[in-house]
Amino acid sequence: MRRITLTQYLIEQQRASGSVTSELRLLIEVVARACKAISHAVGKGALADVLGGAGSDNVQGEAQKKLDLISNEILIEANEWGGHLAAMVSEEMERPHVMPDTGRKGGFLLLVDPLDGSSNIDVNVSIGTIFSVLRSPPEGGAPDEKAFMQPGSKQVAAGFAVYGPQTILVLTVGNGTVGFTLDREIGSFVMTQPNIRIPADTAEYAINSSNARNWDVPVKRYIDECLAGKAGVRGKDFNTRWIASMVADVYRIITRGGIFMYPRDAKYKDGRLRLMYEANPMAMIVEQAGGAATDGKTRILDIQPTALHQRTGVVLGSKNEVERVASYFS
Ligand code: F6P
């Protein structure tokens, strides 16, 4: 099999489509390099004293882990050096981080969840990094929060890395969804999934069922019908899979199908997951792989953001199942 590295893939995309500029290509490579460094830190664990809490909270009042902050620092440092960004937003920072004016100020905005799946960091379960790339509006000056208020449909690239038994990078530049595996010997991401397609039907669903008492009627109905199995209206048995790391749950879904749900409910009235650096990039990746993503009522990529750390309900994955849930909402 011909080995295609991430660099080769991006150069080929640049030649073929013109939508990938050399600056976007270099930015994605900087982010991928940062993911390699994060993967290395995750892999060291207790040996490098990176496990456990950092003793601080993020803007949403969630306790930060040491690895959350280390990953955030790695991404900032890589991108300050890279010079392809105007500013970066992260789950770990309240305000946008404007890149120092080195005379190479870039034309893109990056939004990241540096280390997704925080509750799994200390227990050796897959975690990951999620990223979304927007164009920086052309007006001069340092980009403010307003510059980031673009719907997910404006993303020029989105991706995530999973730090699991293998380190995998999933990427879309708007021309399908592809996957790369980190070859640790040569230090490169090598393409291993050239054309990811999510089956339209599935018998697997992912939801945190400890929230069941808080669910809205459409979600309750959908899950009850799955639980009823063969004897119920669905006429088939379903299986639950819930890893509690969105990166790992979404990776499973793009690999073999399934539906992932973190809906708005009576407790999380605005939803649990963040729109700009969790739902939007995952929605683009899933749609580019033939799946669908909604907050229940609206296509995720059509939601107009009003705040950097805004939350949303998320239902994504196999198209026919997502459409079924959306039909229960309507
Ligand atoms: O913050 C994001 C996240 O860690 C996701 O990766 C995951 O799906 C979710 O939170 C799990 O949250 P909870 O354990 O509260 O259901």
Side-chain angles (χ1 to χ4, degrees):
M1 192 175 96
R2 187 180 151 230
R3 278 169 76 95
I4 302 175
T5 64
L6 174 65
T7 305
Q8 283 170 314
Y9 171 75
L10 290 170
I11 290 174
E12 283 172 14
Q13 287 297 310
Q14 189 181 344
R15 284 183 188 143
S17 73
S19 63
V20 177
T21 59
S22 57
E23 192 181 29
L24 178 58
R25 169 169 68 79
L26 293 168
L27 166 60
I28 293 169
E29 295 209 49
V30 167
V31 174
R33 261 200 303 280
C35 290
K36 284 186 220 171
I38 297 170
S39 168
H40 183 73
V42 167
K44 286 268 174 198
L47 297 177
D49 191 24
V50 294
L51 301 184
S56 51
D57 287 347
N58 67 14
V59 59
Q60 285 120 127
E62 297 160 338
Q64 291 172 309
K65 301 277 187 177
K66 285 187 201 168
L67 268 170
D68 285 324
L69 298 186
I70 292 169
S71 306
N72 194 48
E73 274 313 303
I74 289 174
L75 281 156
I76 291 176
E77 221 179 282
N79 281 292
E80 284 188 344
W81 173 85
H84 312 294
L85 283 189
M88 174 179 142
V89 154
S90 160
E91 183 182 16
E92 307 307 333
M93 302 183 296
E94 188 173 357
R95 310 227 159 275
H97 178 86
V98 176
M99 292 293 141
D101 195 355
T102 55
R104 297 176 294 160
K105 189 170 275 175
F108 293 101
L109 304 173
L110 181 70
L111 301 99
V112 292
D113 180 353
L115 205 56
D116 176 67
S118 295
S119 71
N120 284 324
I121 292 179
D122 294 339
V123 293
N124 200 24
V125 172
S126 297
I127 48 184
T129 300
I130 311 176
F131 65 93
S132 157
V133 183
L134 294 168
R135 278 200 184 84
S136 184
E139 303 87 64
D144 53 12
E145 296 200 5
K146 229 175 79 211
F148 285 86
M149 296 301 121
Q150 306 180 38
S153 55
K154 297 276 186 204
Q155 293 171 109
V156 291
F160 67 91
V162 195
Y163 314 120
Q166 303 109 42
T167 287
I168 304 266
L169 180 75
V170 175
L171 177 70
T172 179
V173 290
N175 184 22
T177 296
V178 292
F180 302 84
T181 304
L182 179 60
D183 184 331
R184 294 179 202 276
E185 270 84 56
I186 59 167
S188 295
F189 279 110
V190 177
M191 184 178 273
T192 41
Q193 293 103 313
N195 180 23
I196 295 176
R197 303 305 297 166
I198 302 175
D201 294 299
T202 182
E204 264 182 2
Y205 67 88
I207 193 165
N208 183 343
S209 58
S210 69
N211 296 320
R213 69 189 176 288
N214 300 319
W215 292 340
D216 289 344
V217 172
V219 175
K220 261 197 188 111
R221 174 180 169 194
Y222 177 77
I223 298 298
D224 281 347
E225 288 178 359
C226 292
L227 290 172
K230 251 198 186 99
V233 293
R234 301 301 308 273
K236 63 178 182 182
D237 291 340
F238 281 76
N239 214 352
T240 312
R241 285 286 179 273
W242 178 251
I243 302 172
S245 288
M246 190 190 199
V247 284
D249 280 311
V250 172
Y251 185 68
R252 183 189 60 256
I253 285 168
I254 63 172
T255 303
R256 66 176 189 214
I259 181 168
F260 171 93
M261 305 172 76
Y262 221 124
R264 291 190 177 89
D265 63 23
K267 180 176 167 201
Y268 298 114
K269 291 202 168 58
D270 296 326
R272 162 89 169 79
L273 301 174
R274 270 49 61 112
L275 173 66
M276 308 281 283
Y277 40 80
E278 291 180 320
N280 273 344
M282 290 310 201
M284 183 177 181
I285 286 161
V286 163
E287 281 199 6
Q288 286 288 321
T294 174
D295 72 349
K297 295 183 174 145
T298 308
R299 177 182 174 234
I300 298 269
L301 296 181
D302 287 338
I303 299 173
Q304 174 61 48
T306 53
L308 284 183
H309 299 284
Q310 174 173 342
R311 295 178 190 257
T312 181
V314 175
V315 177
L316 60 75
S318 291
K319 203 163 196 253
N320 292 341
E321 293 300 305
V322 173
E323 284 173 358
R324 176 181 284 267
V325 175
S327 75
Y328 291 178
F329 270 94
S330 65

